[in-house]
C-alpha cells in the first residue's frame, strides 16, 4: 500500500467510526498529543525514563514503541490533509520540490 492508498484507507476507517467528523481544530489537538508521545518515546530511547512507576524497557520494546508513536502522528497528519483534500503523495512531492529548489539540488 502506498501513502495515498493508506490515506484513503485511513479516512474510510475514521469515517466508519464516526471520528472523521471532528473538526480540524480538534484533530490538531490529537496531533499535538501524538507528538508528545513521540517525544516521550524518543526520550526513553535517548536518555531513559527514570520514573519509579515505570518498568525498564528493552531496546526492542523502545524501538517498537517509537515506531508505533511515529505512525500515530503520521496518521493524524494524513487525516488533517484529507480534511483539506490534500493528497499525501502531493505533500511528499511538494516537500521534495521545495527542498531541491531551496538547496539547488
Amino acid at each position: 500500500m502506498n501513502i495515498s492508498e493508506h490515506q484513503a484507507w485511513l479516512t474510510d476507517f475514521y469515517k466508519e467510526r464516526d471520528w472523521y467528523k471532528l473538526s480540524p481544530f480538534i484533530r490538531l489537538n490529537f496531533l499535538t498529543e501524538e507528538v508528545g508521545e513521540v517525544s516521550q518515546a524518543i526520550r526513553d530511547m535517548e536518555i531513559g525514563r527514570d520514573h519509579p512507576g515505570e518498568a525498564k524497557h528493552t531496546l526492542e520494546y523502545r524501538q517498537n514503541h517509537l515506531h508505533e508513536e511515529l505512525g500515530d502522528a503520521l496518521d493524524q497528519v494524513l487525516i488533517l490533509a484529507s480534511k483539506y483534500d490534500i493528497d499525501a503523495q502531493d505533500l511528499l512531492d511538494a516537500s521534495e520540490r521545495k527542498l531541491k529548489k531551496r538547496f539547488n539540488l
Side-chain angles (χ1 to χ4, degrees), residues 31-96:
L31 173 59
T32 301
E33 179 182 341
E34 294 301 343
V35 169
E37 292 174 5
V38 169
S39 296
Q40 186 180 46
I42 289 174
R43 177 183 174 194
D44 194 19
M45 290 287 294
E46 295 299 321
I47 62 173
R49 300 251 323 143
D50 187 15
H51 189 283
E54 294 181 11
K56 299 281 186 202
H57 298 123
T58 65
L59 178 59
E60 180 181 14
Y61 174 91
R62 294 189 318 254
Q63 288 174 326
N64 288 337
H65 185 227
L66 178 57
H67 188 268
E68 178 182 335
E69 297 306 340
L70 285 168
D72 290 348
L74 176 61
D75 283 350
Q76 292 304 319
V77 169
L78 294 177
I79 289 295
L80 276 170
S82 177
K83 287 193 150 292
Y84 291 101
D85 295 320
I86 299 170
D87 180 73
Q89 187 61 53
D90 291 343
L91 286 175
L92 296 179
D93 294 343
S95 173
E96 185 175 330

Side-chain angles (χ1 to χ4, degrees), residues 7-21:
Q7 182 183 28
W9 176 88
L10 187 66
T11 298
D12 289 342
F13 178 84
Y14 273 55
K15 286 179 178 178
E16 287 172 10
R17 281 154 186 78
D18 212 23
W19 300 343
Y20 192 78
K21 69 180 181 181

